[in-house]
Amino acid sequence: MNHPQTPRLRPSVLIIIAATLLWAVAAVPFALMTGNTEFVIYLGVTFILMAVVGAVHRAVNLTTPALACLSLWGLLHMVGGLMPVPATWPIAGDIRVFYSLWLWPINITGDGQPDWLKYDQVVHAYGFAITTWVCWQGLAAALKRCHTASRQGAVCESELALQTEQSPRPTLGLMVLVTAAGMGFGAANEVIEFMTTLVANTNVGGYVNTGWDLVFNAVGATTAAVLIYVLGRN
């Protein structure tokens, strides 16, 4: 999971860009034809996020697997909101799309209603695990630049930047930081979902759904941080 010194527009990255544009452009007419106002808005947000990822990649040089995982996350999001599920499959609510699908419809809160495990929850955990990984790559790149500046005579306050010429090793403190960052981005996602409910009919769900979304965001971010810590120190 170290930050690579390879060209930003290497062939593998160009393939990921092409694949991402393919599913994003294909989703536009599908959302319009189905009258899914919610996902028309989300598609606009998605194209903005693509530009943000491009800017981050230009600054950080994200790894090819991270970029591929981000693209897959976007595709899973489009499938979740736009693709219908068969009438016999268990769902939450009345909108038959993958985001409503119960993968494991059991109740763990005691209210008699299924609350575990939805497609939506799995995508939340996956997405903010990847976000946490990207935050780590950004932090590692910043610390490395700080170390380079310190060797050139500039002032560098962080002792962490002096760990290695290549990339800082993950420490407990750094992992807490990137976990918090991943969860923060997850909370921002919930804000966007809330704002969407104010302007369109949505399949976002209520307070309990938001709570579970935050739980699975935390699960994903923590899992990513643990993996980064374990693999980065071996």
Side-chain angles (χ1 to χ4, degrees):
M1 292 189 181
N2 289 337
H3 181 69
Q5 297 301 312
T6 52
R8 283 161 177 77
L9 289 179
R10 49 198 179 271
S12 57
V13 172
L14 294 175
I15 292 172
I16 292 169
I17 292 172
T20 302
L21 289 174
L22 180 64
W23 64 249
V25 171
V28 173
F30 196 88
L32 292 173
M33 286 187 300
T34 57
N36 194 326
T37 308
E38 176 187 0
F39 262 75
V40 171
I41 296 171
Y42 284 156
L43 278 167
V45 174
T46 297
F47 282 108
I48 293 171
L49 291 176
M50 287 179 188
V52 171
V53 170
V56 171
H57 179 56
R58 182 177 180 182
V60 174
N61 193 14
L62 297 171
T63 63
T64 298
L67 290 169
C69 287
L70 285 170
S71 179
L72 177 60
W73 184 20
L75 177 59
L76 292 173
H77 184 51
M78 294 301 109
V79 169
L82 296 175
M83 294 298 294
V85 298
T88 56
W89 292 12
I91 64 166
D94 300 320
I95 302 178
R96 286 202 161 272
V97 291
F98 270 84
Y99 265 153
S100 302
L101 178 65
W102 287 111
L103 300 176
W104 189 10
I106 64 173
N107 174 247
I108 64 173
T109 58
D111 61 2
Q113 298 298 318
D115 49 35
W116 185 283
L117 175 71
K118 283 172 65 180
Y119 174 94
D120 176 43
Q121 293 166 345
V122 173
V123 174
H124 269 271
Y126 169 81
F128 291 101
I130 302 307
T131 302
T132 302
W133 184 20
V134 169
C135 288
W136 167 243
Q137 291 187 31
L139 179 60
L143 292 176
K144 184 179 178 183
R145 283 195 295 269
C146 184
H147 172 65
T148 301
S150 71
R151 289 180 59 85
Q152 294 172 349
V155 176
C156 180
E157 299 291 338
S158 176
E159 292 293 329
L160 294 169
L162 304 178
Q163 292 182 64
T164 172
E165 290 268 348
Q166 299 300 318
S167 183
R169 296 184 67 193
T171 65
L172 180 60
L174 289 177
M175 292 304 96
V176 170
L177 184 61
V178 296
T179 300
M183 292 174 64
F185 281 115
N189 177 76
E190 296 307 308
V191 172
I192 293 172
E193 288 190 354
F194 169 68
M195 298 303 292
T196 304
T197 66
L198 302 180
V199 297
N201 293 324
T202 72
N203 191 34
V204 168
Y207 180 79
V208 172
N209 178 76
T210 298
W212 278 118
D213 285 352
L214 293 171
V215 167
F216 279 88
N217 293 348
V219 169
T222 303
T223 300
V226 169
L227 289 173
I228 292 166
Y229 183 83
V230 171
L231 297 176
R233 297 186 70 86
N234 287 339

